Amino acid sequence: MFENLTEKLQRTFKNLRGQGKLTEENIGEAMRELRLAMLEADVNFKVVKDLIEHIREKAVGQEVMTALSPGEQVIKIVRDELVNLLGQDTARLKFASQPPTVVLMAGLQGSGKTTTSGKLAHWLKKGGHRPMLVSVDVYRPAAREQLKVVAKAVGANIYEGEVGDANTATVERLAKEARREAVNSGCDVLVVDTAGRLHIDEQLMEEMQSLKSLLNPQEILFVADAMTGQDAVKSADEFHKKLSLTGVVLTKMDGDARGGAALSIRHVTGAPIKFIGIGEKYDALEPFHPDRIVGRILGMGDILSLIEKAEATVDKKKAEQFAQKALAGDGFSLGDFRDQLLQVKKMGSLQSLIGMLPKIGPFSNLKNVADKVDEKEISRVEAIINSMTPHERDHHEVINGSRRKRIARGSGTTIHEVNQLLRQYAQMRKMFKDMGKASFARKLAGMKLPGM
Amino acid sequence: MIQTLFGSVEPGFLDRMKEAVTRTRENLSERLEDVVSFHKEIDRATLDDLEATLIGADLGTTTTHEVLDKLREKADRKQIKDVGELKRLLKEELLAILTQGGPQPVQKVEGEPEVIVVVGVNGTGKTTTIGKLANVLRADGKSVLLCAADTFRAAAIEQLEIWGTRTGTEVIKTRPGGDPAAVLFDALQAAKARHADYVIVDTAGRLHTKANLMAELEKMRRTAQRIIPGAPHETLLIMDATTGQNGLQQARLFTQSSGVTGIVLTKLDGTAKGGVVVAITRELGLPVRYVGVGEKAGDLLPFDPQSFVDSLFE
């Protein structure tokens, strides 16, 4: 886990309050931390250099505000700068005035072109379009078969055609035929899935160029893997030079990559990131939100991802019941507490969950807690609660000394550990009940979450 | 393609000396000053250059800074003033990381098939690598059985079957959406019955963050162990050379759930250097076994640490 950038910046600025201005000297350390954070997130090192220069220029000379700490102030400058760089364009596709609109998918091998083509067709269908898919990947074994399965799954038309030799002539013929077929069958968008290719493969890049002049596509989307490292600038730059990309799709964003490639690609191509892929299902394509990914790149947490992840795994009904119980009336029981822990366990490691939270404000101590809590701790707590009788779980106040001894023995822990759990439970219970009393929304609003 | 792995050799210390001496003779006072200032410069500018090179090759900041710190120490101790010599030391440092002893494949029981499980995130080149690996083993006169345990991705089974035809190996498969552990069971039974030398298991690409899919890999491991003692003997993590720092987390989590014993670095024929494997080997000790350098059956080479390290500086 990376130490949080915000935390680091706060530290470097500890002594800055009271000074009038941000200067070259007093932001030097912060810029070094920022550089490391961006490099760890796979932003290309040359891009990092440019960005830091830019941010430094912006920051130096600014008055130290009273409302924000200097650390927060720099974070704000950085965030605004990066969001600005990534642009506000979201999922807008250009459509042809005279259908069919042609969307050409381009990218390296394994970036996710075929899956994305299917998702795009699904998205278009939802928007009331009639997409047609065609694969001109005559090279990779079973690539065309793959798109056929995908098309069937999303219920989109597909042009299959006859493949003769695996060469550019075949590719061009298939593309032409597919376009004619789209017109004949009343499809208004043709999505062309192409073979993955290396940006330095001249022959195959020429093939892309000839596809472009043949089809005159409204959109040429560069499909890029969010896990890409420093090389992202080279491949994106080369694809852009040869094809003038109109947009980027960033795939595999459902992993834990920080996604610095987004900045690199945008920086060298200027093409907007239009979509992100967030799962293997065909509806897992989303419009791109610059502010979200900036938080992720800078390690400032991604609350929204966390919520999505929680939603995907947590049993909603149970969670609602828990929330109701916790916030009102008698509070939640030890049994409820155990159920919640099991949900957390299902979501994955505690550390990775905590990593999605911003480590400031109300969550500032969570990281320390998470580092201390090893995952076995959850199992231990589970064992302790399992060793209680149902009555004890509902009425923790009856657990006296001899019961504690029995529970400790039953769960293979010590009385000390049982005591500790009971104390924590009582605290949490009280906390939740208090939250229920005061308006929860107001409390939340009171929590300052810089960067979100 | 492959030439990128074997670059031109840096001019050695003697060459540099010779050059310096000739130039010095031409204009003694001026040149001498240059050389002296050059020596002073080794610390900052040179190290910055080396840092950019390593980070640009995806070694990551932690590994890069650790390696450079060690280098600085050594350079101080040995009073190194020459950039070429400095580079040589740096390469030595990287080689030491890459060649440290790591997990070895489990020795198979005589007469039983050796099981190789291939894992990795989506789109790294698992199926293609399996085709190439089958090709290598077939050329070596071994009998190989392929197991299509990627029952999830559209047309993954067909893709493996085409590789099966190309390399003359049989593919054991089930219907799309079937249970991967079940097809693995069938494949291992078949391999035993036919006395195959190798079984190579293709698994569905999965992000290491998906706990349920990672648990599926654990289940497959248990299935393999039940049928063939010691299996899987080798678990190869396929790593795309374009992968950035996330590769480290991939290696950690795949090792946790599927006991990775080695890495195959694919797509090294592009411009990406694949330096994240240095970070991986440094932390987890996982050796790189093969590199993929193209889409043809013959484009799989045994990993050569020396030429890999050289390629980082090209």
Side-chain angles (χ1 to χ4, degrees), chain A residues 40 109 199 252 254 280, chain B residues 61 122 152 208 210 271 295:
Chain A
E40 274 305 317
Q109 291 95 338
H199 47 291
K252 307 179 204 174
D254 46 333
E280 300 203 27
Chain B
T61 53
N122 316 62
F152 181 80
H208 50 289
K210 312 243 153 131
T271 47
E295 298 188 23

Side-chain angles (χ1 to χ4, degrees), chain A residues 35-36 39-40 42 45 109-110 140-142 146 149 198-200 227-231 252 254-257 280, chain B residues 51 55-56 58 61 122-123 152 154-155 159 162 207-210 242 244-246 249-250 267 269 271-272 295:
Chain A
R35 171 171 181 270
L36 281 181
L39 287 175
E40 274 305 317
D42 290 322
F45 70 98
Q109 291 95 338
R140 203 197 77 202
Q146 186 184 346
V149 177
L198 285 169
H199 47 291
I200 50 170
M227 297 180 278
T228 313
Q230 298 285 321
D231 195 52
K252 307 179 204 174
D254 46 333
D256 56 359
E280 300 203 27
Chain B
E51 187 200 32
I55 284 177
D58 286 319
T61 53
N122 316 62
F152 181 80
Q159 189 182 349
I162 293 172
L207 290 179
H208 50 289
T209 47
K210 312 243 153 131
T242 59
Q245 293 315 296
N246 191 248
Q249 189 64 359
Q250 288 174 25
K267 309 184 198 174
D269 46 336
T271 47
E295 298 188 23

Side-chain angles (χ1 to χ4, degrees), chain B residues 135-183:
Chain B
N135 185 56
V136 170
L137 292 171
R138 293 286 292 146
D140 203 24
K142 306 288 188 208
S143 59
V144 181
L145 213 58
L146 301 182
C147 169
D150 179 358
T151 59
F152 181 80
R153 204 201 73 207
I157 299 171
E158 286 87 340
Q159 189 182 349
L160 191 68
E161 279 185 308
I162 293 172
W163 278 108
T165 315
R166 281 184 189 173
T167 56
T169 47
E170 195 185 338
V171 179
I172 306 290
K173 58 175 180 175
T174 180
R175 64 186 165 76
D179 178 11
V183 68

Side-chain angles (χ1 to χ4, degrees), chain A residues 91-93 95 102-105 112-127 129-133 150 154 156 189-192 219 221 223 249 274-275 281-286:
Chain A
R92 285 262 161 120
L93 288 186
F95 290 97
V102 178
V103 181
L104 193 58
M105 310 295 280
K113 286 176 296 305
T114 307
T115 306
T116 305
S117 300
K119 289 177 178 177
L120 202 57
H122 179 86
W123 184 84
L124 286 164
K125 270 188 71 178
K126 258 193 355 200
H129 293 278
R130 257 175 75 89
M132 171 171 279
L133 288 164
V150 169
V154 299
V189 185
L190 177 67
V191 179
V192 185
E219 292 279 356
L221 299 180
V223 182
V249 183
K274 298 203 167 176
F275 295 97
K281 299 210 178 68
Y282 296 114
D283 57 0
L285 186 74
E286 279 197 348

Side-chain angles (χ1 to χ4, degrees), chain A residues 322 332-334 337-338 341 350 366 368-370 372-374 377-378 380-382 384-385 388 396 404 415-433:
Chain A
F322 177 80
F332 61 97
S333 72
L334 279 157
F337 183 52
R338 180 191 53 187
L341 280 180
L350 206 54
L366 269 179
N368 300 341
V369 176
K372 266 183 251 156
V373 176
D374 62 307
E377 183 85 23
I378 294 183
R380 222 171 290 143
V381 170
E382 199 189 328
I384 293 175
I385 300 179
M388 296 173 183
H396 70 285
R404 285 174 200 211
I415 296 181
H416 174 68
E417 280 168 298
V418 175
N419 283 337
Q420 210 177 357
L421 168 67
L422 287 171
R423 204 165 44 238
Q424 279 170 356
Y425 162 69
Q427 272 172 9
M428 273 180 70
R429 194 161 172 270
K430 183 168 179 307
M431 196 179 86
F432 272 105
K433 275 169 92 171

